[in-house]
Amino acid sequence: MRYDDRRAAGRLLAEGLDGLRGQDVVVLGLPRGGMPVAAEVARHLGAPLDVLVVRKLGVPWQPELAFGAIGEHGVRVLNRDVISDAALDAAEQETVEEAERAELERRVRGYRHGRPALPVAGRTAVVVDDGLATGATAEAACRVVRGQGATRIVLAVPVGPVHSIDRLRRVADEVVCPRPQQALGSVGAWYRDFTQTEDAEVTALLADAARHAPRSPSGPEPPPNREVLLPAVGAELGARLVVPDGAPAVVAFAHGSGSGRHSPRNRYVATALNRAGLATLLLDLLTDDEAHDRHNVFDILLLARRLHSAAVWLRRETSLPVAYFGASTGAAAALEAAALSGSGIISVVCRGGRPDLATPAALTHVRAPTLLIVGSRDTQVLSLNRLAADRMHCEHRMAVVPGATHLFEEPGTLTTVAELARDWFTAHLGRPTAGAPPRRSA
């Protein structure tokens, strides 16, 4: 049975999403044909509507083969296997991304007319298109939204081939398709009216959604955040500080591998901590110029000194006890900084960390209760964490997230990280007692 048009398809599709009513949901339509479908879904759910502009990054000599995708706010996801197989070097990747980034920004400006994108971090994102063919664009969209920190991703399409739907369940938490087909043909064949959606219609749908935007059912507004500059060793560091009312502690994030305060994964974890009432500081441990030198990324002592400077600033600014959250090389920096005499750090959490890059002396001198979170499929890093844990004398625990790889890109795994970190930090809010014998937990 064919749909009359995209709006009719959207109304039927929305019925299969009734369970999302009343939840903190944002509906994201893929331009252009997905937007009329998404508008009906958003109206039915009483949810806000936005456009999701993504661009696939194609191998230069085989553009249909995507080595990644980009979205707004600098989000980029890469397929390392394709990059390796195609022997793409950094310059070739950068050239493709620059061109696609320019086109993405042009389209965003044309659709939004200056309106900011709706935040998806910590929310359920419903990604909507008018149908699936190969599913490549939908996959890119889901990966981008995951990178923006969505708690849960639901891909919703009126029609699509069974093999594509099954494959997309690996990147979305749920796929809703009321009319799956063994043999699809073309998407347009399943519509009586498949007239091309024009840019003007997308713009009008967004403007109408903005005028009638529903209030979020998620409760109180998020705490205000502010951009700050911190004095540190040899530099001023950009940072984003969020302090909820009555926060009992503040968590400083040490990013790794050259990423900074805009890291979507750490922003996602920080949002979860803010919802639990904890303050957060997302900061750049390196300036933009410094980050281009890979030596700096692995200069753990420099990163640790700068993180320690940030902790000193935080105590003065907020009068709150400080904890650390470290990722990748930032985990080693967090442990080095926590081991400094008189650091007073109340707890540490490491995600996909490299604690083995910290000095042996630092690992033995850390007194802050420490949680090491590693993906079960990140086998090399898992082994390195176990070796580092054997050197630690403080209370510590290793949490292995089933099915997760190094970046925790798999559905639900980053949510698990956020919950583990939240529980660890809230369970260790008191300052450590000087000279108390360390405890170890399994």
Side-chain angles (χ1 to χ4, degrees):
M1 181 184 298
R2 293 194 298 168
Y3 296 105
D4 287 337
D5 55 21
R6 291 183 177 87
R7 292 183 180 274
R11 289 191 291 272
L12 180 61
L13 183 61
E15 294 176 6
L17 298 165
D18 264 335
L20 296 176
R21 280 179 175 271
Q23 298 185 29
D24 189 10
V25 172
V26 58
V27 178
L28 304 169
L30 293 176
R32 292 174 292 206
M35 281 302 295
V37 184
E40 295 297 327
V41 171
R43 187 176 297 114
H44 182 84
L45 297 180
L49 172 70
D50 204 352
V51 65
L52 176 59
V53 184
V54 299
R55 298 291 295 176
K56 287 182 288 185
L57 302 176
V59 174
W61 51 90
Q62 194 176 350
E64 69 278 7
L65 177 60
F67 68 85
I70 58 172
E72 294 178 72
H73 312 299
V75 172
R76 175 184 60 186
V77 292
L78 298 176
N79 187 322
R80 298 292 179 185
D81 291 336
V82 172
I83 290 171
S84 176
D85 291 344
L88 279 176
D89 62 31
E92 291 167 329
Q93 295 174 49
E94 186 175 347
T95 297
V96 173
E97 182 173 348
E98 284 181 357
E100 294 298 345
R101 180 72 62 189
E103 177 61 17
L104 182 144
E105 291 174 354
R106 184 192 70 78
R107 293 192 180 200
V108 167
R109 287 194 300 272
Y111 291 143
R112 287 217 177 90
H113 294 290
R115 286 188 299 273
L118 295 178
V120 300
R123 310 174 79 177
T124 294
V126 180
V127 178
V128 180
D129 205 354
D130 56 7
L132 294 175
T134 65
T137 300
E139 179 177 355
C142 290
R143 292 191 183 278
V144 165
V145 174
R146 183 79 65 192
Q148 290 174 335
T151 305
R152 183 165 174 249
I153 298 173
V154 178
L155 175 64
V157 291
V159 65
V162 171
H163 62 85
S164 293
I165 293 169
D166 290 342
R167 181 171 55 82
L168 286 164
R169 288 196 173 100
R170 296 192 302 233
V171 294
D173 297 287
E174 183 181 356
V175 179
V176 175
C177 179
R179 293 180 183 167
Q181 303 297 322
Q182 291 295 336
L184 178 74
S186 68
V187 172
W190 295 90
Y191 289 85
R192 292 186 178 88
D193 179 359
F194 199 63
T195 305
Q196 180 172 315
T197 303
E198 301 294 339
D199 285 340
E201 183 177 356
V202 174
T203 303
L205 288 169
L206 289 170
D208 183 67
R211 285 193 299 269
H212 301 94
R215 288 184 59 83
S216 171
S218 60
E221 291 295 317
N225 64 75
R226 59 189 176 102
E227 294 285 326
V228 295
L229 283 176
L230 308 186
V233 179
E236 280 194 326
L237 306 177
R240 176 178 293 137
L241 177 65
V242 178
V243 184
D245 289 340
V250 56
V251 180
F253 280 69
H255 311 287
S257 302
S259 65
R261 69 188 187 277
H262 300 299
S263 162
R265 293 175 183 83
N266 284 345
R267 284 170 53 195
Y268 173 73
V269 174
T271 299
L273 298 183
N274 296 150
R275 290 187 173 187
L278 295 166
T280 55
L281 181 78
L282 294 162
L283 75 156
D284 301 334
L285 292 178
L286 298 172
T287 66
D288 289 342
D289 289 339
E290 290 172 336
H292 289 301
D293 183 346
R294 294 295 291 175
H295 172 76
N296 292 324
V297 173
F298 289 92
D299 189 342
I300 303 303
L301 295 181
L302 171 64
L303 301 179
R305 289 196 297 271
R306 289 186 171 178
L307 182 60
H308 177 70
S309 295
V312 171
W313 180 90
L314 271 174
R315 288 193 192 90
R316 185 173 63 248
E317 182 73 13
T318 67
S319 300
L320 295 174
V322 178
Y324 289 151
F325 182 98
S328 191
T329 53
L335 292 169
E336 285 281 352
L340 293 174
S341 178
S343 69
I345 298 304
I346 58 172
S347 58
V348 178
V349 173
C350 301
R351 169 185 67 81
R354 291 293 307 277
D356 58 295
L357 296 177
T359 60
L363 292 174
T364 58
H365 283 88
V366 172
R367 289 294 177 263
T370 299
L371 175 66
L372 306 173
I373 306 175
V374 191
S376 68
R377 294 166 60 194
D378 192 9
T379 53
Q380 183 177 4
V381 170
L382 184 57
S383 297
L384 294 171
N385 272 256
R386 285 176 174 148
L387 291 172
D390 286 341
R391 294 179 177 269
M392 300 177 74
H393 301 305
C394 61
E395 176 189 353
H396 64 277
R397 177 186 162 218
M398 182 178 296
V400 180
V401 179
T405 51
H406 186 64
L407 295 179
F408 296 88
E409 295 176 303
E410 296 73 25
T413 57
L414 195 59
T415 300
T416 301
V417 170
E419 292 171 348
L420 288 167
R422 176 201 64 202
D423 294 346
W424 189 263
F425 286 131
T426 54
H428 297 89
L429 290 174
R431 289 187 180 277
T433 303
R439 294 176 295 147
R440 176 173 177 171
S441 60

